[in-house]
mmCIF file of all heavy atoms in Angstrom:
data_model
loop_
_atom_site.group_PDB
_atom_site.id
_atom_site.type_symbol
_atom_site.label_atom_id
_atom_site.label_comp_id
_atom_site.label_asym_id
_atom_site.label_seq_id
_atom_site.Cartn_x
_atom_site.Cartn_y
_atom_site.Cartn_z
ATOM 1 N N GLY A 117 0.819 -1.191 -0.008
ATOM 2 C CA GLY A 117 -0.027 0.000 -0.019
ATOM 3 C C GLY A 117 0.847 1.249 -0.003
ATOM 4 O O GLY A 117 2.067 1.196 -0.149
ATOM 5 N N SER A 118 0.212 2.357 0.197
ATOM 6 C CA SER A 118 0.841 3.672 0.112
ATOM 7 C C SER A 118 1.336 4.128 1.503
ATOM 8 O O SER A 118 0.938 5.192 1.986
ATOM 9 C CB SER A 118 -0.066 4.699 -0.517
ATOM 10 O OG SER A 118 -1.291 4.796 0.177
ATOM 11 N N PHE A 119 2.164 3.374 2.122
ATOM 12 C CA PHE A 119 2.725 3.759 3.368
ATOM 13 C C PHE A 119 4.129 4.330 3.242
ATOM 14 O O PHE A 119 4.874 3.940 2.315
ATOM 15 C CB PHE A 119 2.737 2.621 4.399
ATOM 16 C CG PHE A 119 3.342 1.355 3.892
ATOM 17 C CD1 PHE A 119 4.713 1.170 3.877
ATOM 18 C CD2 PHE A 119 2.535 0.309 3.370
ATOM 19 C CE1 PHE A 119 5.273 -0.010 3.397
ATOM 20 C CE2 PHE A 119 3.077 -0.838 2.927
ATOM 21 C CZ PHE A 119 4.464 -1.007 2.904
ATOM 22 N N PHE A 120 4.459 5.265 4.119
ATOM 23 C CA PHE A 120 5.799 5.856 4.102
ATOM 24 C C PHE A 120 6.787 4.961 4.858
ATOM 25 O O PHE A 120 7.929 4.776 4.471
ATOM 26 C CB PHE A 120 5.733 7.250 4.735
ATOM 27 C CG PHE A 120 7.090 7.848 4.925
ATOM 28 C CD1 PHE A 120 7.774 8.419 3.895
ATOM 29 C CD2 PHE A 120 7.681 7.869 6.202
ATOM 30 C CE1 PHE A 120 9.019 8.987 4.065
ATOM 31 C CE2 PHE A 120 8.946 8.427 6.418
ATOM 32 C CZ PHE A 120 9.652 8.991 5.320
ATOM 33 N N SER A 121 6.321 4.417 5.959
ATOM 34 C CA SER A 121 7.211 3.567 6.782
ATOM 35 C C SER A 121 6.390 2.611 7.604
ATOM 36 O O SER A 121 5.169 2.809 7.871
ATOM 37 C CB SER A 121 8.058 4.440 7.715
ATOM 38 O OG SER A 121 7.286 5.133 8.671
ATOM 39 N N ILE A 122 7.012 1.516 8.033
ATOM 40 C CA ILE A 122 6.497 0.587 8.925
ATOM 41 C C ILE A 122 7.305 0.640 10.231
ATOM 42 O O ILE A 122 8.510 0.453 10.167
ATOM 43 C CB ILE A 122 6.444 -0.837 8.367
ATOM 44 C CG1 ILE A 122 5.503 -0.916 7.187
ATOM 45 C CG2 ILE A 122 6.084 -1.853 9.465
ATOM 46 C CD1 ILE A 122 5.492 -2.241 6.515
ATOM 47 N N ASP A 123 6.633 0.942 11.326
ATOM 48 C CA ASP A 123 7.339 1.122 12.578
ATOM 49 C C ASP A 123 7.404 -0.133 13.411
ATOM 50 O O ASP A 123 8.402 -0.349 14.152
ATOM 51 C CB ASP A 123 6.712 2.254 13.386
ATOM 52 C CG ASP A 123 6.755 3.561 12.652
ATOM 53 O OD1 ASP A 123 7.763 3.932 12.018
ATOM 54 O OD2 ASP A 123 5.716 4.307 12.682
ATOM 55 N N ALA A 124 6.373 -0.939 13.326
ATOM 56 C CA ALA A 124 6.361 -2.199 14.139
ATOM 57 C C ALA A 124 5.514 -3.204 13.407
ATOM 58 O O ALA A 124 4.498 -2.903 12.795
ATOM 59 C CB ALA A 124 5.795 -1.914 15.521
ATOM 60 N N MET A 125 5.899 -4.469 13.560
ATOM 61 C CA MET A 125 5.140 -5.543 13.059
ATOM 62 C C MET A 125 5.081 -6.658 14.074
ATOM 63 O O MET A 125 6.040 -6.867 14.857
ATOM 64 C CB MET A 125 5.795 -6.132 11.732
ATOM 65 C CG MET A 125 6.091 -5.061 10.689
ATOM 66 S SD MET A 125 6.824 -5.748 9.195
ATOM 67 C CE MET A 125 5.319 -6.284 8.319
ATOM 68 N N GLY A 126 3.954 -7.340 14.132
ATOM 69 C CA GLY A 126 3.830 -8.366 15.140
ATOM 70 C C GLY A 126 2.778 -9.381 14.838
ATOM 71 O O GLY A 126 2.074 -9.298 13.828
ATOM 72 N N TRP A 127 2.664 -10.329 15.707
ATOM 73 C CA TRP A 127 1.694 -11.438 15.597
ATOM 74 C C TRP A 127 0.897 -11.556 16.877
ATOM 75 O O TRP A 127 1.460 -11.533 17.975
ATOM 76 C CB TRP A 127 2.417 -12.750 15.298
ATOM 77 C CG TRP A 127 3.019 -12.828 13.940
ATOM 78 C CD1 TRP A 127 4.291 -12.509 13.631
ATOM 79 C CD2 TRP A 127 2.394 -13.196 12.710
ATOM 80 N NE1 TRP A 127 4.502 -12.705 12.290
ATOM 81 C CE2 TRP A 127 3.348 -13.163 11.702
ATOM 82 C CE3 TRP A 127 1.115 -13.644 12.402
ATOM 83 C CZ2 TRP A 127 3.079 -13.447 10.378
ATOM 84 C CZ3 TRP A 127 0.819 -13.930 11.073
ATOM 85 C CH2 TRP A 127 1.800 -13.827 10.086
ATOM 86 N N TYR A 128 -0.374 -11.711 16.688
ATOM 87 C CA TYR A 128 -1.278 -12.001 17.794
ATOM 88 C C TYR A 128 -1.995 -13.331 17.484
ATOM 89 O O TYR A 128 -2.014 -13.786 16.352
ATOM 90 C CB TYR A 128 -2.358 -10.920 17.954
ATOM 91 C CG TYR A 128 -1.821 -9.601 18.422
ATOM 92 C CD1 TYR A 128 -1.084 -8.761 17.574
ATOM 93 C CD2 TYR A 128 -2.060 -9.151 19.722
ATOM 94 C CE1 TYR A 128 -0.582 -7.515 18.017
ATOM 95 C CE2 TYR A 128 -1.587 -7.938 20.181
ATOM 96 C CZ TYR A 128 -0.862 -7.126 19.320
ATOM 97 O OH TYR A 128 -0.371 -5.905 19.754
ATOM 98 N N ARG A 129 -2.546 -13.942 18.507
ATOM 99 C CA ARG A 129 -3.293 -15.159 18.311
ATOM 100 C C ARG A 129 -4.508 -15.231 19.200
ATOM 101 O O ARG A 129 -4.550 -14.603 20.272
ATOM 102 C CB ARG A 129 -2.400 -16.391 18.502
ATOM 103 C CG ARG A 129 -1.966 -16.614 19.963
ATOM 104 C CD ARG A 129 -1.033 -17.800 20.032
ATOM 105 N NE ARG A 129 -0.577 -18.059 21.379
ATOM 106 C CZ ARG A 129 0.343 -18.952 21.724
ATOM 107 N NH1 ARG A 129 0.923 -19.637 20.760
ATOM 108 N NH2 ARG A 129 0.681 -19.143 22.984
ATOM 109 N N GLN A 130 -5.498 -15.964 18.744
ATOM 110 C CA GLN A 130 -6.705 -16.124 19.501
ATOM 111 C C GLN A 130 -7.203 -17.561 19.365
ATOM 112 O O GLN A 130 -7.502 -18.005 18.263
ATOM 113 C CB GLN A 130 -7.825 -15.166 19.055
ATOM 114 C CG GLN A 130 -9.033 -15.193 19.928
ATOM 115 C CD GLN A 130 -9.983 -14.013 19.630
ATOM 116 O OE1 GLN A 130 -9.921 -13.404 18.586
ATOM 117 N NE2 GLN A 130 -10.828 -13.712 20.590
ATOM 118 N N ALA A 131 -7.222 -18.259 20.474
ATOM 119 C CA ALA A 131 -7.715 -19.627 20.520
ATOM 120 C C ALA A 131 -9.238 -19.605 20.817
ATOM 121 O O ALA A 131 -9.739 -18.665 21.385
ATOM 122 C CB ALA A 131 -6.964 -20.414 21.544
ATOM 123 N N PRO A 132 -9.895 -20.686 20.473
ATOM 124 C CA PRO A 132 -11.350 -20.750 20.763
ATOM 125 C C PRO A 132 -11.663 -20.552 22.233
ATOM 126 O O PRO A 132 -11.040 -21.208 23.106
ATOM 127 C CB PRO A 132 -11.751 -22.175 20.284
ATOM 128 C CG PRO A 132 -10.712 -22.516 19.248
ATOM 129 C CD PRO A 132 -9.445 -21.870 19.755
ATOM 130 N N GLY A 133 -12.530 -19.633 22.527
ATOM 131 C CA GLY A 133 -12.945 -19.382 23.894
ATOM 132 C C GLY A 133 -11.921 -18.574 24.682
ATOM 133 O O GLY A 133 -12.150 -18.382 25.884
ATOM 134 N N LYS A 134 -10.907 -18.132 24.047
ATOM 135 C CA LYS A 134 -9.858 -17.387 24.734
ATOM 136 C C LYS A 134 -9.692 -15.974 24.146
ATOM 137 O O LYS A 134 -10.142 -15.693 23.023
ATOM 138 C CB LYS A 134 -8.474 -18.109 24.627
ATOM 139 C CG LYS A 134 -8.425 -19.483 25.232
ATOM 140 C CD LYS A 134 -8.609 -19.443 26.745
ATOM 141 C CE LYS A 134 -8.476 -20.790 27.339
ATOM 142 N NZ LYS A 134 -7.155 -21.390 27.178
ATOM 143 N N GLN A 135 -9.145 -15.078 24.966
ATOM 144 C CA GLN A 135 -8.940 -13.753 24.508
ATOM 145 C C GLN A 135 -7.709 -13.659 23.617
ATOM 146 O O GLN A 135 -6.761 -14.420 23.756
ATOM 147 C CB GLN A 135 -8.810 -12.821 25.731
ATOM 148 C CG GLN A 135 -9.009 -11.368 25.441
ATOM 149 C CD GLN A 135 -9.131 -10.539 26.762
ATOM 150 O OE1 GLN A 135 -8.768 -11.009 27.802
ATOM 151 N NE2 GLN A 135 -9.604 -9.333 26.621
ATOM 152 N N ARG A 136 -7.701 -12.688 22.722
ATOM 153 C CA ARG A 136 -6.608 -12.457 21.823
ATOM 154 C C ARG A 136 -5.369 -12.049 22.655
ATOM 155 O O ARG A 136 -5.476 -11.311 23.608
ATOM 156 C CB ARG A 136 -6.926 -11.374 20.834
ATOM 157 C CG ARG A 136 -5.807 -11.122 19.818
ATOM 158 C CD ARG A 136 -6.209 -9.970 18.914
ATOM 159 N NE ARG A 136 -6.262 -8.734 19.672
ATOM 160 C CZ ARG A 136 -6.705 -7.577 19.221
ATOM 161 N NH1 ARG A 136 -7.175 -7.497 17.960
ATOM 162 N NH2 ARG A 136 -6.708 -6.498 19.948
ATOM 163 N N GLU A 137 -4.239 -12.615 22.342
ATOM 164 C CA GLU A 137 -2.992 -12.305 23.019
ATOM 165 C C GLU A 137 -1.901 -11.998 22.046
ATOM 166 O O GLU A 137 -1.832 -12.528 20.957
ATOM 167 C CB GLU A 137 -2.602 -13.438 23.954
ATOM 168 C CG GLU A 137 -2.163 -14.748 23.219
ATOM 169 C CD GLU A 137 -1.582 -15.784 24.141
ATOM 170 O OE1 GLU A 137 -1.274 -15.455 25.350
ATOM 171 O OE2 GLU A 137 -1.415 -16.938 23.705
ATOM 172 N N LEU A 138 -0.994 -11.177 22.475
ATOM 173 C CA LEU A 138 0.178 -10.888 21.710
ATOM 174 C C LEU A 138 1.153 -12.023 21.787
ATOM 175 O O LEU A 138 1.409 -12.538 22.865
ATOM 176 C CB LEU A 138 0.868 -9.592 22.183
ATOM 177 C CG LEU A 138 2.010 -9.044 21.366
ATOM 178 C CD1 LEU A 138 2.029 -7.529 21.392
ATOM 179 C CD2 LEU A 138 3.359 -9.592 21.915
ATOM 180 N N VAL A 139 1.689 -12.421 20.647
ATOM 181 C CA VAL A 139 2.669 -13.529 20.608
ATOM 182 C C VAL A 139 4.102 -12.936 20.486
ATOM 183 O O VAL A 139 4.971 -13.292 21.292
ATOM 184 C CB VAL A 139 2.418 -14.450 19.381
ATOM 185 C CG1 VAL A 139 3.479 -15.546 19.345
ATOM 186 C CG2 VAL A 139 1.020 -15.016 19.472
ATOM 187 N N ALA A 140 4.302 -12.064 19.546
ATOM 188 C CA ALA A 140 5.643 -11.483 19.344
ATOM 189 C C ALA A 140 5.552 -10.189 18.550
ATOM 190 O O ALA A 140 4.650 -10.097 17.693
ATOM 191 C CB ALA A 140 6.584 -12.471 18.637
ATOM 192 N N THR A 141 6.403 -9.287 18.812
ATOM 193 C CA THR A 141 6.503 -8.063 18.030
ATOM 194 C C THR A 141 7.918 -7.720 17.733
ATOM 195 O O THR A 141 8.837 -8.170 18.460
ATOM 196 C CB THR A 141 5.841 -6.856 18.765
ATOM 197 O OG1 THR A 141 6.529 -6.651 20.043
ATOM 198 C CG2 THR A 141 4.400 -7.114 19.014
ATOM 199 N N ILE A 142 8.125 -6.972 16.682
ATOM 200 C CA ILE A 142 9.449 -6.472 16.347
ATOM 201 C C ILE A 142 9.349 -5.013 15.925
ATOM 202 O O ILE A 142 8.458 -4.681 15.128
ATOM 203 C CB ILE A 142 10.115 -7.333 15.254
ATOM 204 C CG1 ILE A 142 11.519 -6.876 14.993
ATOM 205 C CG2 ILE A 142 9.263 -7.354 14.008
ATOM 206 C CD1 ILE A 142 12.354 -7.862 14.169
ATOM 207 N N ILE A 143 10.200 -4.198 16.494
ATOM 208 C CA ILE A 143 10.182 -2.773 16.206
ATOM 209 C C ILE A 143 11.238 -2.503 15.146
ATOM 210 O O ILE A 143 12.378 -2.876 15.262
ATOM 211 C CB ILE A 143 10.490 -1.927 17.477
ATOM 212 C CG1 ILE A 143 9.401 -2.221 18.509
ATOM 213 C CG2 ILE A 143 10.573 -0.443 17.123
ATOM 214 C CD1 ILE A 143 9.669 -1.569 19.848
ATOM 215 N N SER A 144 10.807 -1.798 14.082
ATOM 216 C CA SER A 144 11.662 -1.603 12.910
ATOM 217 C C SER A 144 12.932 -0.813 13.187
ATOM 218 O O SER A 144 13.984 -1.108 12.690
ATOM 219 C CB SER A 144 10.869 -0.981 11.774
ATOM 220 O OG SER A 144 9.759 -1.824 11.378
ATOM 221 N N SER A 145 12.779 0.275 13.953
ATOM 222 C CA SER A 145 13.897 1.184 14.132
ATOM 223 C C SER A 145 15.080 0.540 14.825
ATOM 224 O O SER A 145 16.202 0.727 14.310
ATOM 225 C CB SER A 145 13.446 2.423 14.951
ATOM 226 O OG SER A 145 12.925 2.033 16.228
ATOM 227 N N GLY A 146 14.894 -0.148 15.891
ATOM 228 C CA GLY A 146 15.980 -0.724 16.616
ATOM 229 C C GLY A 146 16.078 -2.242 16.546
ATOM 230 O O GLY A 146 17.052 -2.846 17.057
ATOM 231 N N GLY A 147 15.092 -2.885 15.975
ATOM 232 C CA GLY A 147 15.076 -4.318 15.876
ATOM 233 C C GLY A 147 14.732 -5.002 17.213
ATOM 234 O O GLY A 147 14.937 -6.212 17.319
ATOM 235 N N CYS A 148 14.215 -4.256 18.123
ATOM 236 C CA CYS A 148 13.821 -4.848 19.418
ATOM 237 C C CYS A 148 12.662 -5.844 19.231
ATOM 238 O O CYS A 148 11.758 -5.540 18.508
ATOM 239 C CB CYS A 148 13.425 -3.740 20.392
ATOM 240 S SG CYS A 148 12.945 -4.308 22.029
ATOM 241 N N THR A 149 12.755 -6.926 19.928
ATOM 242 C CA THR A 149 11.740 -7.985 19.846
ATOM 243 C C THR A 149 11.184 -8.304 21.233
ATOM 244 O O THR A 149 11.875 -8.187 22.223
ATOM 245 C CB THR A 149 12.284 -9.293 19.237
ATOM 246 O OG1 THR A 149 13.376 -9.738 19.997
ATOM 247 C CG2 THR A 149 12.730 -9.023 17.811
ATOM 248 N N VAL A 150 9.938 -8.651 21.273
ATOM 249 C CA VAL A 150 9.255 -9.035 22.496
ATOM 250 C C VAL A 150 8.457 -10.303 22.224
ATOM 251 O O VAL A 150 7.756 -10.414 21.221
ATOM 252 C CB VAL A 150 8.341 -7.909 23.000
ATOM 253 C CG1 VAL A 150 7.621 -8.330 24.277
ATOM 254 C CG2 VAL A 150 9.124 -6.611 23.231
ATOM 255 N N TYR A 151 8.524 -11.213 23.137
ATOM 256 C CA TYR A 151 7.823 -12.485 23.069
ATOM 257 C C TYR A 151 6.963 -12.747 24.308
ATOM 258 O O TYR A 151 7.412 -12.384 25.414
ATOM 259 C CB TYR A 151 8.748 -13.673 22.843
ATOM 260 C CG TYR A 151 9.597 -13.632 21.663
ATOM 261 C CD1 TYR A 151 10.869 -13.000 21.641
ATOM 262 C CD2 TYR A 151 9.178 -14.208 20.425
ATOM 263 C CE1 TYR A 151 11.640 -12.985 20.508
ATOM 264 C CE2 TYR A 151 9.954 -14.186 19.324
ATOM 265 C CZ TYR A 151 11.178 -13.568 19.327
ATOM 266 O OH TYR A 151 12.009 -13.566 18.187
ATOM 267 N N THR A 152 5.867 -13.360 24.118
ATOM 268 C CA THR A 152 5.143 -13.824 25.334
ATOM 269 C C THR A 152 5.890 -14.991 25.881
ATOM 270 O O THR A 152 6.553 -15.755 25.204
ATOM 271 C CB THR A 152 3.718 -14.211 24.923
ATOM 272 O OG1 THR A 152 2.926 -14.449 26.119
ATOM 273 C CG2 THR A 152 3.640 -15.436 24.068
ATOM 274 N N ASP A 153 5.785 -15.167 27.215
ATOM 275 C CA ASP A 153 6.582 -16.178 27.886
ATOM 276 C C ASP A 153 6.433 -17.577 27.327
ATOM 277 O O ASP A 153 7.381 -18.393 27.278
ATOM 278 C CB ASP A 153 6.272 -16.156 29.358
ATOM 279 C CG ASP A 153 6.821 -14.952 30.081
ATOM 280 O OD1 ASP A 153 7.712 -14.301 29.537
ATOM 281 O OD2 ASP A 153 6.394 -14.634 31.209
ATOM 282 N N SER A 154 5.202 -17.923 26.940
ATOM 283 C CA SER A 154 4.942 -19.295 26.551
ATOM 284 C C SER A 154 5.604 -19.716 25.235
ATOM 285 O O SER A 154 5.656 -20.917 24.949
ATOM 286 C CB SER A 154 3.428 -19.498 26.398
ATOM 287 O OG SER A 154 2.863 -18.680 25.409
ATOM 288 N N VAL A 155 6.138 -18.776 24.453
ATOM 289 C CA VAL A 155 6.769 -19.121 23.182
ATOM 290 C C VAL A 155 8.239 -18.850 23.197
ATOM 291 O O VAL A 155 8.907 -19.122 22.184
ATOM 292 C CB VAL A 155 6.074 -18.375 22.008
ATOM 293 C CG1 VAL A 155 4.584 -18.594 21.994
ATOM 294 C CG2 VAL A 155 6.393 -16.876 22.031
ATOM 295 N N LYS A 156 8.773 -18.260 24.231
ATOM 296 C CA LYS A 156 10.188 -17.939 24.267
ATOM 297 C C LYS A 156 11.040 -19.219 24.091
ATOM 298 O O LYS A 156 10.799 -20.249 24.737
ATOM 299 C CB LYS A 156 10.532 -17.263 25.572
ATOM 300 C CG LYS A 156 10.037 -15.814 25.684
ATOM 301 C CD LYS A 156 10.436 -15.190 27.024
ATOM 302 C CE LYS A 156 9.943 -13.769 27.114
ATOM 303 N NZ LYS A 156 10.282 -13.112 28.397
ATOM 304 N N GLY A 157 12.016 -19.149 23.231
ATOM 305 C CA GLY A 157 12.891 -20.250 22.994
ATOM 306 C C GLY A 157 12.380 -21.176 21.881
ATOM 307 O O GLY A 157 13.097 -22.006 21.387
ATOM 308 N N ARG A 158 11.129 -20.981 21.498
ATOM 309 C CA ARG A 158 10.550 -21.785 20.433
ATOM 310 C C ARG A 158 10.209 -20.988 19.186
ATOM 311 O O ARG A 158 10.285 -21.521 18.065
ATOM 312 C CB ARG A 158 9.274 -22.498 20.944
ATOM 313 C CG ARG A 158 9.500 -23.405 22.131
ATOM 314 C CD ARG A 158 8.245 -24.212 22.489
ATOM 315 N NE ARG A 158 7.161 -23.338 22.905
ATOM 316 C CZ ARG A 158 5.981 -23.272 22.231
ATOM 317 N NH1 ARG A 158 5.782 -24.041 21.167
ATOM 318 N NH2 ARG A 158 5.012 -22.473 22.676
ATOM 319 N N PHE A 159 9.735 -19.800 19.358
ATOM 320 C CA PHE A 159 9.333 -18.945 18.250
ATOM 321 C C PHE A 159 10.376 -17.833 17.986
ATOM 322 O O PHE A 159 11.014 -17.372 18.950
ATOM 323 C CB PHE A 159 7.991 -18.233 18.503
ATOM 324 C CG PHE A 159 6.820 -19.178 18.532
ATOM 325 C CD1 PHE A 159 6.951 -20.532 18.544
ATOM 326 C CD2 PHE A 159 5.533 -18.650 18.558
ATOM 327 C CE1 PHE A 159 5.887 -21.381 18.543
ATOM 328 C CE2 PHE A 159 4.428 -19.482 18.608
ATOM 329 C CZ PHE A 159 4.590 -20.868 18.605
#
């Protein structure tokens, strides 16, 4: 699309009967990443 920049990209997930949760994000400027505890070391 017609975007100038992307600042952050990430993934969320939602299981049946559960609330949506953040899985992982990455910030474009510095490359900082964040993971939810349940996926650390695997994703």
Side-chain angles (χ1 to χ4, degrees):
S118 57
F119 50 82
F120 172 78
S121 65
I122 293 176
D123 300 319
M125 308 182 83
W127 292 92
Y128 292 74
R129 68 185 180 187
Q130 187 167 20
K134 300 293 182 65
Q135 198 169 16
R136 184 185 65 189
E137 67 172 348
L138 186 146
V139 179
T141 60
I142 183 166
I143 299 173
S144 299
S145 59
C148 180
T149 58
V150 178
Y151 299 90
T152 190
D153 288 342
S154 63
V155 307
K156 288 181 179 178
R158 300 188 298 120
F159 291 10

